[in-house]
Structure formats: C-alpha cells, structure tokens
Amino acid sequence: MEAASLPAALELAAGGGAGLSPEKRAVLGASLLLLQRDYRFERVWFWGCIQGVRGAYYIAEGLGPDRAAPRSRLYSLNCVEWSLLPPATQEMVAQAERLKGRFQGDPSFEYEYTEINAEDAERLFEDGEKPMIKEEARLVATVEQIDREVGIIPRGAFVKTPLGSVCENRNFEGLSLTEAKKLSSYFHFTEPVNLKNKTLLEKADLDPSTDFLDSLEHDIPQGSWTVQLEKGGTVVVLRSLLWLGLTFYHVPMTKQYGYVYFGTGEKNLDLPFML
C-alpha cells in the first residue's frame, strides 16, 4: 500500500484485526518518506510485517518507472533504520521452501536444513560448509513468494505500453461494486503463467493493454480467496487463505486499493484439506 496514504489504508484493511499501533504508524509515515528521498524511488509501498519469535520485520518496497520491473525491498526491525535486501533468486526460494517453523526475528540467525539433495550436500561439505541458510535469505524468499502468489491489483489499475513497460493507468477510476465482488476483476501483479496457455479464441476478448496478467478466478486450489464487504458495504476486502495474513482492499468507484501482509511468513500447506 502507498506510503503517502498509509494511515487511511491501514484503517481500511484492519477488519481482520491486524494492524499497527498509532506510534508505529507515525514513525513509519515519516521514515518511508525519507526512504523514498534517500534511495530516489518513484514510489514506496509499505508491504507489511512478518512477526518472528523474538522480533518483527517491517518490509517496504521501492518502485521505479516500470512498475512491473523487479522491486527493491528493504526491511526494518524498528520502523526507523532500513536495510536493503538482496534480490531473490530461484535457489533462495527453493531453500526457503524446505524450512518449517516461525521466523526468529534475527537476520543473522542460521537455519540448518536436512532436506538437501546429495549433490548439493557433497559440494557444500567439500567447500567446508554446513548446509545452512541465513534468516535474511529466508526473509527475501518469503516476501518474493507472497508477492508472486498473492500480490494483487484491480483490473485496469495498470496499463502495458507498446514498449512493454507497465505504468499506472491515469484513467482508472475504480471498479464498480458489482465488478469489485468478482475474483475475475483482480490480477496477480507478477509475470503471467496461465495467460500464455490461453488459446487465440480465449484471448480474442482480452484487451492487451489491461488484460496482460493472470486473473484470480483460476487460482489453485479453488476457494483460496474470500471476498467480503466491510465498512457498511463501502469497501471490498479480499483475504488469502493460502498465505494467512494477506489482506487486499478496494473502495469501489475510487482509486483507493492496496494490499498488506501481517503474519508469521508461513504458508498454509493444509489449505487443500480444509476446503
């Protein structure tokens, strides 16, 4: 969610009970603006908070001119001092998926993981290393996974230019209330997968400038999203059951939308058995 409108946005997404104290909101509001200035980002989004056993990670994302380009991610333990996270790699994500349990809240904490293939284990032991992964790497991979799997935007909020870059749609005035209650009106804000598998006939009705992402209606497992009306029916709220703690809000007929994550950073692997 936008750093500039953080207090109002947090109020709209707070229906599930998660949120920040007034002190944390005030500190974040000031520090995120300084962050945008110091790193020269075009926009800064407050991504959310991953709660560890001994502390919490507050995450922010910096965006450049192309909104679909890889984002710069930063974390803070106190909402004041920010540290830049390294870019996520496929290897990081694969290693993090093997880890179970809560985050500790210490970036230098090292996890030992046993589920490693023989080839990797042999290479590590030859180098004199133990098969370990730092919590900072796990944090990078978890934020990347959540963004990729449940980071969403309303249809039409962004447009793809003829040159391939993605920017905000200045003509976007929000979804109607009827459209806002449909999963098909929301897209994953990441590289599309299902769209590439569609036939030419299925693509015939799509607008290439706005329908360039994957819709939520085909997410697996079916039923991994809940859609609710809150604040007297004036706000549409989507919550992910796959990554518990991810909340998306949109005020129909306005440009107000965004998502935030407040959770433990653990994927709900039992979801297929719960539906």
Side-chain angles (χ1 to χ4, degrees):
M1 53 178 60
E2 285 281 353
S5 58
L6 188 61
L10 285 170
E11 282 293 332
L12 293 172
L20 297 172
S21 66
E23 294 83 5
K24 283 279 192 289
R25 290 187 193 189
V27 172
L28 268 176
S31 70
L32 289 176
L33 293 176
L34 292 173
L35 190 71
Q36 182 173 355
R37 183 199 68 185
D38 293 345
Y39 283 88
R40 298 181 182 178
F41 294 134
E42 277 206 1
R43 291 284 179 88
V44 169
W45 287 354
F46 175 62
W47 183 89
C49 170
I50 292 180
Q51 186 67 48
V53 176
R54 297 195 293 266
Y57 296 104
Y58 299 92
I59 313 292
E61 293 186 329
L63 289 83
D66 184 358
R67 298 295 191 259
R71 302 164 211 164
S72 299
R73 297 189 176 106
L74 304 98
Y75 76 92
S76 174
L77 301 174
N78 57 10
C79 297
V80 178
E81 299 165 335
W82 294 88
S83 302
L84 196 62
L85 287 166
T89 63
Q90 289 297 329
E91 186 182 2
M92 274 185 191
V93 174
Q95 288 175 342
E97 284 178 339
R98 298 172 187 155
L99 298 174
K100 309 294 179 191
R102 294 277 301 276
F103 278 80
Q104 296 299 307
D106 176 8
S108 60
F109 181 82
E110 292 186 332
Y111 295 91
E112 284 189 43
Y113 56 97
T114 53
E115 294 179 30
I116 184 169
N117 63 50
E119 194 175 308
D120 287 346
E122 190 178 341
R123 177 176 54 80
L124 286 167
F125 285 122
E126 279 177 2
D127 296 340
E129 299 175 14
K130 290 183 180 178
M132 286 184 164
I133 177 173
K134 279 195 172 182
E135 181 151 287
E136 187 181 65
R138 184 188 180 190
L139 181 66
V140 172
T142 302
V143 174
E144 174 69 20
Q145 272 186 289
I146 293 173
D147 262 346
R148 191 188 301 165
E149 295 180 19
V150 291
I152 61 175
I153 57 168
R155 181 180 184 272
F158 288 81
V159 291
K160 192 170 189 177
T161 66
L163 298 175
S165 62
V166 175
C167 59
E168 274 134 1
N169 184 1
R170 295 180 182 178
N171 297 320
F172 178 69
E173 295 296 337
L175 301 170
S176 68
L177 183 59
T178 306
E179 290 297 315
K181 291 188 283 186
K182 299 176 183 176
L183 282 180
S184 57
S185 298
Y186 301 96
F187 293 151
H188 288 282
F189 198 31
T190 186
E191 189 68 26
V193 177
N194 297 333
L195 189 66
K196 295 174 182 176
N197 300 327
K198 287 192 173 184
T199 64
L200 290 174
L201 192 61
E202 290 173 315
K203 290 180 181 178
D205 296 329
L206 301 181
D207 183 342
S209 64
T210 55
D211 299 319
F212 58 93
L213 299 168
D214 285 336
S215 162
L216 264 62
E217 62 180 332
H218 302 301
D219 277 13
I220 298 172
Q222 287 283 337
S224 61
W225 291 94
T226 66
V227 183
Q228 296 165 316
L229 288 175
E230 296 186 0
K231 307 286 183 185
T234 59
V235 183
V236 178
V237 175
L238 278 72
R239 292 190 175 87
S240 172
L241 302 179
L242 187 62
W243 288 95
L244 296 169
L246 189 287
T247 305
F248 171 89
Y249 74 92
H250 176 47
V251 181
M253 306 306 292
T254 73
K255 295 183 178 183
Q256 296 180 63
Y257 66 87
Y259 67 86
V260 68
Y261 178 82
F262 288 103
T264 59
E266 295 174 283
K267 193 173 183 178
N268 183 14
L269 299 175
D270 296 327
L271 180 60
F273 307 102
M274 298 166 68
L275 295 173

